[in-house]
Amino acid sequence: MVRICMITLFLLATQLHWSFTHGSSDTDRKAFIVYMGEAPQSNVSAIDLHHNLLSSVIRDDHIAQQSRIYSYTKNFNAFAANLLSQEVQRLQENENVVAVFPSKMRKLHTTRSWDFLGMPQSMKRNHQIESNIIVGVLDTGIYIDAPSFDDKGFGPPPSKWKGTCQVRGNFTGCNNKVIGARFYNHASTTPHPNPSPIDEEGHGSHTSSTIAGASIAGASLYGLAKGTARGGVPSARIAVYKVCWADGCSDIDLLAGMDDAISDGVDLISISIGGDSASYLDNPIAIGAFHAMKKGILTTCSAGNDGPSMYSAQNTAPWILTVGASGMDRQFRTLVKVGNGIKKAGFSINTFSPNKRMYPLTTAVKAANGSLEPDHSPWLCDEGSLDANKVKGKIVLCKEGLIQDYVKQIGGLGAIVSLQEQSDTGFTFIIPAAFIDTNVGDKIEIYVNSTRAPQAVIYKSVAIHNAATPFVASFSSRGPNTISSTLMKPDIVAPGIDILAAYSKLSSVTGDLEDNRFDVYNIISGTSMACPHVTAAAAYIKTFHPRWSPAAIKSALMTTASELKIKDVQAELAYGAGQIDPVRALHPGLIYDMSKSDYIRFLCNEGYSGTALKVFTDEHTNCSTIPDIGGHDALNYPSMYLQLNSTNSSISAVFHRTVTNVGLKKAIYKAIVKAPAILKVTVVPEELAFSHLYEKKSFTVVIKGPPLNNISSLSASLEWNDTKHRVKSPIHVFLGI
């Protein structure tokens, strides 16, 4: 894996430890979230209830008081505390406790894109309604001095807004664009000396402005990507919830931010954060998003940056809109030229222009440290591998790795990094650098070894047109879904490569302390950048359809998405329904709607029952009393997915679906199936006739086929077509062994 300091923030997951002075055993205390169900309706203080419960299991009132970290009281009844293992066990045995799970540290998934998605500045908008849309962003905070957050022309916040603006430290306050800002630092392993909502990383400002940044002409990163930077819904309001710090994003803070966002009056929630979870019960994003859904709030999340590995998608609950990353028709290339005439357009975001025609060039092997251990390859250009005297004043050819701080510190002027796996994403470096493929790297190595004074130059990046779009980003996490094998995730993809948006001047362009470039814009890649595109598209739909449920908006985006012309199995499990088309999604024709009861039925079908379901619902739920719609997945989802667990298993599944007419009052939709010859797809009935708006019609999809012996997957699709609308659902069969 290439070891570089990427601008997209990857933070290690850790466990929070707490020490008290009440005996050596207390050093074993760890942070847990104790979930007790719905927020209490009575006037009894939840905080007092939490303290009394803690005291009963800790058996020391003073330690119990110190142990409690935070109480959640608005939308759910829960608290976070530092606990010993025996105290966790006692809490799990308490009849009032639904679940106890450790707090983990999660990580961030980190202009032209809106034109690429068919949303030019001149497009039709409901400006007045859009101005009443409030988007809650859980991230690293916000740099409100960035031009993208200028509130010129904005009136006061919508009357529904109930949130607050925490003016602390060097955060000077909110405005009529950024109407709310809170911060949470209850569980950081390195507490901030002066915490505030201000963005010191740049990530939160980037995602927020992608959603609702004001239109700013002439935006660029040192001349790159020059144009008008704007959000998808530039008239909307932003409420920020800073839940991420230098060491990551704790579950405790994430749940607190979601609790506040739901109560503050936001219309949508955007979260470009993730981490591994074995269940929906121990995932604060899944829990918080479920409670948001019950209040009519759609939560959009990034799928993760662990691609192209399969089974890597995160944030996969069905009530979450899960987003992967795609590439758009503008990409950046960095020309590398060597003394013998070899030229190659490499990948990077290089803002540096050369001052000379050529510079001395060496390879990591020729510049290797003589005292390097035999099993340590200098090609990685990592700490201690190179001789400073042989690197100073030169460009270095590295292979499969680069510690850029190290190369700069020992006097290197630049780096050419040869990769076996071709990159599709450029990153920003603190020195001139570029990724090239191995074939070119090998030729450059031969040139250096056969030339007395080899030379090279790395030019400033330029934008080029890429006709092969859209495509799935190589880093975008793939399915299958590790929690629910009946549900295909991610749901959809959106641009996430080389996205220009607002940034924070409190962080350098690379986030590296050795970097002296600071700007209010930056170009970043990641599913973190894709997620806010979909949040904005959902907000745009909501301005025209304010009464649509979260599931209806999600369905509209999925069934109108553009199919990607990629047949690689891993790619298909990365893009879901395809790339968003926000304009088409305004008029989807039919929607697959769902409510709380549908998701409860799904959870019952997944094996959740009794006490476990109280995480999501306020009443005791007996799964045997939930009406069974039958079928493979027990869910009215816009996509259909079957996972086989054996090469001997034949393909056989039934999907029951219901669509709601939101198109023409009277319409007849006909089923159009596309499937490979080996897969038989039957739709009953094949025609749906509607006589009025919001009428519902049900149908069944039956798929049959032989075992998948020589192939790992099959893809098909069902499209309902009334000649004016194309309502498309992907059908995917995967051999998951």
Side-chain angles (χ1 to χ4, degrees), residues 221-252:
L221 173 66
Y222 288 86
L224 299 181
K226 191 168 186 179
T228 299
R230 58 188 172 90
V233 279
S235 297
R237 317 299 180 112
I238 300 168
V240 297
Y241 302 84
K242 183 175 179 178
V243 298
C244 298
W245 305 80
D247 56 346
C249 322
S250 81
D251 284 353
I252 293 172

Side-chain angles (χ1 to χ4, degrees), residues 334-401:
T334 303
L335 181 64
V336 174
K337 182 179 178 181
V338 297
N340 66 349
I342 293 176
K343 294 180 182 180
K344 179 62 178 178
F347 281 87
S348 70
I349 306 296
N350 182 35
T351 68
F352 302 104
S353 296
N355 294 319
K356 296 164 60 177
R357 192 180 68 84
M358 284 280 177
Y359 296 83
L361 173 66
T362 188
T363 69
V365 168
K366 291 180 74 70
N369 187 335
S371 60
L372 198 64
E373 294 292 332
D375 60 345
H376 191 144
S377 172
W379 281 118
L380 296 175
C381 294
D382 57 356
E383 198 75 34
S385 64
L386 305 176
D387 185 332
N389 294 323
K390 298 177 181 178
V391 170
K392 187 176 181 180
K394 297 179 181 178
I395 293 172
V396 186
L397 174 67
C398 309
K399 292 185 178 181
E400 303 300 324

Side-chain angles (χ1 to χ4, degrees), residues 47 57 76 82 97 110 118 159 164 176 189 225 257 269 302 312 422 441 450 504 510 542 564 584 595 668 690:
I47 295 176
V57 297
F76 26 82
N82 292 292
V97 173
T110 98
S159 58
T164 189
N176 287 329
T189 57
I269 294 175
S302 49
S312 58
Q422 184 63 47
S450 61
S504 171
T510 58
K542 195 171 182 67
L564 277 71
R584 273 195 65 208
S595 64
I668 296 175
F690 295 92

Side-chain angles (χ1 to χ4, degrees), residues 340 363 397 440-451:
N340 66 349
T363 69
L397 174 67
V440 178
D442 291 345
K443 292 177 182 178
I444 294 176
E445 182 185 1
I446 293 171
Y447 160 71
V448 173
N449 292 335
S450 61
T451 306

Side-chain angles (χ1 to χ4, degrees), residues 281-293:
L281 297 178
D282 66 355
N283 188 322
I285 297 177
I287 293 170
F290 191 92
H291 286 273
M293 175 273 301

Side-chain angles (χ1 to χ4, degrees), residues 641-677:
Y641 178 72
L642 173 65
Q643 186 166 311
L644 304 177
N645 297 318
S646 168
T647 54
N648 297 321
S649 299
S650 296
I651 299 169
S652 180
V654 178
F655 300 91
H656 295 290
R657 295 293 188 266
T658 299
V659 288
T660 305
N661 180 26
V662 295
L664 302 174
K665 289 182 179 180
K666 293 184 178 182
I668 296 175
Y669 285 84
K670 295 183 178 181
I672 301 173
V673 172
K674 292 183 179 179

